[in-house]
Amino acid sequence: MRDGAGRRPERREEEEEEEKEEKERRKRKRRRSARADLQFSLQVSCSMAGGEEFFLDEKRFKQCCEDFVKHSQQIGDGWEWRTSKDLGDGYLSKTHFQVRNRHIPPDLKEKNSDNTEQMLFAHIEEPLDDSQAAGVCSTEEVVRYEYHVLYSSSYQVPVLYFRACFLDGRPLTLDEVWGSVHASYQDRLQEGPWDTITQQEHPILGQPFFVLHPCRTNEFISAVLGGSQERHRHTNYIILWLSTVGPVVGLNLPLSYAKLAPEQSTDADLAE
Amino acid sequence: MPQERAHGRAQYRMTDDKDVLRDVWFGRIPTCFTLYQDEITEREAEPYYVSMTKLLLPRISYLTLVTDKVKKHFQKVMRQEEVSEIWFEYEGTPLKWHYPIGLLFDLHASNTALPWSITVHFKNFPEKDLLHCHSKDVIEAHFMACIKEADALKHKSQVINEMQKKDHKQLWMGLQNDKFEQFWAINRKLMEYPPEDNGFRYIPFRIYQHYGKTACSSLLDP
């Protein structure tokens, strides 16, 4: 029995399958290029001076966090809001596990401790190529990451704190954390590691955490957003910021969060 | 943002009152360091060393910055393989080296008789309580981060960001080498504001509470 287009039913099924696959491929390609675009525009923006200052007040921080957590719950992304008993402050928190390849590159430079042996980690997404694999021993290890997002009233921006330990409870050293920064950001890290990631006392818990320094957050957030603050009153600052800084330290946001951060559209511009 | 206020008298500058600045800078706390008993391991064929050493600690500095001699002294009575990162404790509480010494004393020991008795450890570093301090770079990074955060409140980071790297270095070296003039040559810029402004944007203020409660900082309008 042939259909209107003159094709047999089984062939139509095959074609539909192929079409589906093709759509998926195109979707993945679009996502990759969207990410690449964002990364590229960030790198360009960071080298530009100026851009209007885009500060986040604490009230708006809390509102963005609330919306963020709601969406996280919908998609099972594991974020929760925690408050401290003593202080009125709260923060976002998420724990997850990452598998790392452990390898010792030959051209290591000491930046921190007196230890002569240093461990570096590579993200599992990037397989070692031949030159890296040569003369390298590799074991997989699981690292437990705990991320916190707090508000800094000094800088009026959110700040990302995290701690990381192996399954046996041993915390990562500063060198190990620097080594685990994503390959795309290593160059920028090496320019000023002491200005980028260091240990600090968690403002609410009082315990040692690693922190991604907030000094330059405002610089690149305002460069990315551009334009007036008015236009971006509906943007979820947390999503924009976290999707930008998170990947530096192994934290990636599923693209579904983009639903909460409406893109700039010409319609919105015209409506003003 | 601070409102415009009329001043009845001439503007007061902190840097005019050098005596006070010098008193703060040169404040000292007599301290006695004792190695934790369980960590003393006698070396064979070595004379027994006195297990205490005394120092006058600067209030405005950091424990790990001013205790090199203490470290060297006690490492002599320990086996090399047993020595790892030094840390300090007072009456069972690990001392946060990233707090200024004067603050630590006021928080933990202000009611006890001098000298302040601190216990020195080289083992069992308390990972959950203390930041690591493997080199002077760590202390410098911490110190500069505090300076930058304070200037974010005072001047929206304008003064600190306009300074050259060598000025930042001079601040740090002044602290490290206990050089008042060297330090204040740069710090006075961070403590000034243009006459047309009515003071700092916000005053950096941190309150530390007793017994394990954490510090809180909030925005204070001058």
Side-chain angles (χ1 to χ4, degrees):
Chain A
M1 184 83 165
R2 290 170 193 260
D3 70 1
R7 292 171 293 186
R8 289 222 184 89
E10 314 87 55
R11 275 200 66 189
R12 234 192 41 215
E13 267 180 49
E14 277 173 25
E15 282 175 353
E16 277 176 14
E17 274 303 315
E18 274 181 27
E19 263 186 48
K20 251 196 220 162
E21 271 185 44
E22 183 54 40
K23 274 193 183 141
E24 279 304 308
R25 272 198 291 271
R26 274 189 242 133
K27 221 178 171 183
R28 282 197 295 269
K29 196 173 172 194
R30 271 201 302 274
R31 279 188 201 148
R32 274 201 301 271
S33 51
R35 276 211 179 102
D37 283 344
L38 180 61
Q39 271 203 333
F40 175 73
S41 74
L42 277 176
Q43 284 178 344
V44 169
S45 328
C46 285
S47 58
M48 293 186 323
E52 212 177 285
E53 290 180 351
F54 199 110
F55 291 114
L56 179 74
D57 63 67
E58 191 160 7
K59 191 171 158 200
R60 188 161 159 205
F61 167 77
K62 285 183 174 160
Q63 186 57 56
C64 289
C65 287
E66 200 181 297
D67 297 338
F68 183 85
V69 169
K70 266 190 208 135
H71 189 83
S72 169
Q73 283 164 348
Q74 280 168 13
I75 64 170
D77 195 34
W79 285 94
E80 56 179 31
W81 177 258
R82 292 192 190 163
T83 43
S84 105
K85 296 182 286 276
D86 300 323
L87 316 166
D89 298 330
Y91 56 95
L92 288 174
S93 166
K94 174 178 173 175
T95 300
H96 76 186
F97 295 86
Q98 289 178 37
V99 183
R100 305 253 176 214
N101 274 326
R102 199 170 97 169
H103 70 277
I104 307 163
D107 61 341
L108 219 35
K109 277 187 218 162
E110 263 180 30
K111 273 236 183 301
N112 185 25
S113 70
D114 295 318
N115 297 334
T116 47
E117 192 187 339
Q118 291 187 1
M119 298 293 131
L120 283 198
F121 293 79
H123 281 249
I124 198 120
E125 297 132 33
E126 289 170 292
L128 301 179
D129 63 25
D130 288 336
S131 57
Q132 286 172 307
V136 148
C137 91
S138 162
T139 35
E140 279 187 356
E141 280 185 311
V142 178
V143 178
R144 178 185 178 275
Y145 279 83
E146 187 181 345
Y147 298 98
H148 290 188
V149 174
L150 276 78
Y151 179 73
S152 163
S153 42
S154 307
Y155 291 101
Q156 294 188 283
V157 291
V159 183
L160 184 59
Y161 289 81
F162 63 99
R163 53 185 172 192
C165 61
F166 297 100
L167 288 182
D168 62 1
R170 176 172 87 77
L172 266 68
T173 63
L174 182 60
D175 285 317
E176 285 166 338
V177 166
W178 281 347
S180 69
V181 164
H182 196 277
S184 328
Y185 301 96
Q186 275 293 335
D187 287 343
R188 190 160 293 170
L189 174 75
Q190 297 304 329
E191 278 170 32
W194 294 108
D195 291 328
T196 313
I197 299 174
T198 55
Q199 251 195 335
Q200 272 186 25
E201 180 176 322
H202 189 290
I204 294 177
L205 301 177
Q207 293 172 348
F209 268 70
F210 292 104
V211 65
L212 193 53
H213 285 217
C215 314
R216 306 191 58 213
T217 294
N218 197 42
E219 244 176 67
F220 55 74
I221 289 288
S222 50
V224 168
L225 290 182
S228 71
Q229 290 199 32
E230 229 353 77
R231 196 190 296 176
H232 302 291
R233 63 185 180 280
H234 298 302
T235 308
N236 189 305
Y237 191 107
I238 293 294
I239 291 171
L240 186 76
W241 164 80
L242 197 53
S243 60
T244 308
V245 305
V248 178
V249 292
L251 178 63
N252 294 296
L253 285 190
L255 278 175
S256 112
Y257 281 100
K259 291 181 203 153
L260 276 168
E263 272 177 309
Q264 286 177 263
S265 68
T266 46
D267 292 350
D269 292 344
L270 287 172
E272 281 177 333
Chain B
M1 299 299 286
Q3 301 298 315
E4 291 287 320
R5 288 197 195 98
H7 284 289
R9 58 191 180 96
Q11 197 175 55
Y12 172 78
R13 288 179 193 272
M14 192 190 211
T15 44
D16 292 342
D17 217 334
K18 248 193 168 170
D19 290 340
V20 174
L21 299 182
R22 294 189 79 90
D23 284 347
V24 170
W25 182 269
F26 290 108
R28 295 288 188 263
I29 297 171
T31 312
C32 165
F33 291 90
T34 310
L35 183 61
Y36 187 56
Q37 278 299 117
D38 290 3
E39 292 186 19
I40 298 177
T41 48
E42 283 178 76
R43 285 166 122 186
E44 280 175 292
E46 293 277 348
Y48 181 76
Y49 284 86
V50 174
S51 63
M52 301 197 326
T53 186
K54 290 186 187 145
L55 275 185
L56 280 174
L57 299 182
R59 286 187 61 101
I60 50 121
S61 191
Y62 301 99
L63 273 175
T64 42
L65 192 54
V66 296
T67 49
D68 280 344
K69 284 188 184 159
V70 175
K71 192 161 110 177
K72 286 197 182 100
H73 179 91
F74 289 130
Q75 280 176 337
K76 287 182 206 158
V77 298
M78 297 185 70
R79 276 184 229 121
Q80 179 65 21
E81 60 272 15
E82 290 181 333
V83 172
S84 69
E85 190 177 348
I86 192 173
W87 58 280
F88 304 95
E89 161 249 307
Y90 176 71
E91 293 191 342
T93 306
L95 293 176
K96 296 185 178 184
W97 64 262
H98 66 284
Y99 289 3
I101 292 167
L103 170 61
L104 285 173
F105 178 77
D106 293 344
L107 270 179
H108 296 290
S110 53
N111 291 328
T112 21
L114 296 170
W116 185 20
S117 290
I118 293 181
T119 308
V120 180
H121 293 257
F122 287 98
K123 294 189 213 175
N124 302 315
F125 189 87
E127 302 274 356
K128 292 217 172 0
D129 298 304
L130 299 184
L131 306 185
H132 280 286
C133 190
H134 289 295
S135 68
K136 299 279 184 294
D137 289 341
V138 179
I139 314 174
E140 182 179 358
H142 166 72
F143 172 72
M144 289 311 301
C146 292
I147 295 275
K148 285 180 185 170
E149 188 178 356
D151 204 52
L153 287 166
K154 287 183 287 186
H155 301 114
K156 288 189 196 179
S157 304
Q158 274 163 10
V159 176
I160 194 73
N161 285 345
E162 274 165 14
M163 280 185 186
Q164 293 175 4
K165 258 211 165 110
K166 69 175 175 70
D167 292 337
H168 294 181
K169 259 307 178 193
Q170 187 172 331
L171 261 182
W172 165 246
M173 296 307 287
L175 178 74
Q176 185 177 12
N177 300 328
D178 194 26
K179 298 269 189 263
F180 177 83
E181 297 294 343
Q182 188 184 23
F183 180 84
W184 272 98
I186 308 297
N187 199 41
R188 64 174 179 78
K189 297 183 209 168
L190 292 164
M191 297 304 278
E192 286 172 347
Y193 45 85
E196 55 268 19
D197 293 349
N198 264 316
F200 295 135
R201 182 166 155 256
Y202 293 106
I203 296 176
F205 207 106
R206 216 168 241 174
I207 300 167
Y208 293 85
Q209 295 169 291
H210 289 284
Y211 302 120
K213 285 193 181 169
T214 55
C216 60
S217 353
S218 52
L219 297 178
L220 273 185
D221 206 308

